[in-house]
Amino acid sequence: MKKIFAVSLISILASNGANAAINWWERPTVCRLDPTDCYTSMGTGYDSEMWDANSECWGMKLICPEALKREEYQPVPMGKTEIAKGTEIKQDFNTDILNGDCFGVRKTTSNGTMASVDGEYVKVWCNGILENPDEFLTNGEITYGTQPTCSDLAEYGYVGIVNNRCYGKYYDASEYFIECEGDDLLPSRIILLNGADYNAPSGNAPADKSAADKIFDQMESVSETQRQKYFDKD
């Protein structure tokens, strides 16, 4: 037994002697982290000093707080695997796009005129149209709740059509009257006033459709009488 131990000890000493000239951190028996970077280039929006254990590489993306489901006030570093799963990221945000010093912008479509809210796309209104906007985007503003109707917009002289890269075209109330029906977004018609005051009281205006029909019937009767009087019958 002693003989076997002595042989083993001699073998170990001989081995250490052979590796004496090799630095310990360069020896093959030492475990080292893979120095590979997670991303080809890391600048703004990345923490290149953090180790992504799940992906086994260096560097984490900084995700903007508004893109996360949990309440945060600062950008949060996340690994590639966690980002790919998307369980902590709101469905309305794209974490491939840099937003200042972090990643995560609200998804848009149709040249930025529509934005994703709770998985559905809503109109991006031109700045200043919404009374209480919930969020400001590059092209304008959005509301998370009930979208404005034709009447809501017409009150301020707007019509809900595309205006460059946002919705809401202005019509001067002194030149146009926007007529709305029900809760539709688009007006039933836009009336060119040609200098007339649409809201001015008119003393001889018919009170209802029946009265208006009566006036037209009278006009038609007078016209027929005059035609018979001044034009020969052939």
Side-chain angles (χ1 to χ4, degrees), residues 72-204:
E72 297 285 350
Y73 299 96
Q74 297 293 331
V76 176
M78 294 182 69
K80 296 182 73 173
T81 302
E82 191 176 8
I83 293 174
K85 287 182 179 178
T87 54
E88 295 296 322
I89 299 172
K90 294 177 182 177
Q91 62 178 334
D92 299 316
F93 284 79
N94 185 345
T95 54
D96 291 329
I97 301 176
L98 187 65
N99 183 12
D101 60 353
C102 54
F103 284 88
V105 298
R106 188 173 291 277
K107 295 176 182 177
T108 60
T109 187
S110 302
N111 201 29
T113 60
M114 303 288 288
S116 179
V117 175
D118 294 332
E120 297 184 0
Y121 282 91
V122 301
K123 289 178 172 57
V124 177
W125 300 98
C126 299
N127 290 322
I129 291 180
L130 297 178
E131 187 173 358
N132 294 301
D134 292 308
E135 186 177 333
F136 294 93
L137 304 180
T138 302
N139 293 351
E141 55 197 29
I142 60 174
T143 178
Y144 302 153
T146 303
Q147 300 300 306
T149 63
C150 175
S151 299
D152 296 331
L153 298 172
E155 184 177 354
Y156 302 98
Y158 287 97
V159 171
I161 57 177
V162 175
N163 181 11
N164 293 321
R165 299 186 65 183
C166 55
Y167 278 83
K169 185 175 181 180
Y170 178 72
Y171 284 82
D172 190 334
S174 65
E175 299 179 12
Y176 300 91
F177 177 78
I178 304 169
E179 187 173 88
C180 301
E181 290 185 359
D183 294 330
D184 293 337
L185 173 61
L186 297 179
S188 55
R189 59 179 175 171
I190 299 176
I191 302 171
L192 179 62
L193 299 179
N194 284 329
D197 184 356
Y198 191 86
N199 294 312
S202 53
N204 296 324

Side-chain angles (χ1 to χ4, degrees), residues 28-54:
T29 55
V30 176
C31 295
R32 294 186 296 274
L33 292 177
D34 186 350
T36 303
D37 292 336
C38 297
Y39 303 94
T40 55
S41 61
M42 287 181 282
T44 304
Y46 295 91
D47 189 329
S48 59
E49 301 299 320
M50 295 194 70
W51 173 252
D52 185 347
N54 290 326

Side-chain angles (χ1 to χ4, degrees), residues 17-29:
N19 293 327
I22 303 176
N23 294 324
W24 67 266
W25 61 86
E26 294 178 342
R27 293 179 184 178
T29 55

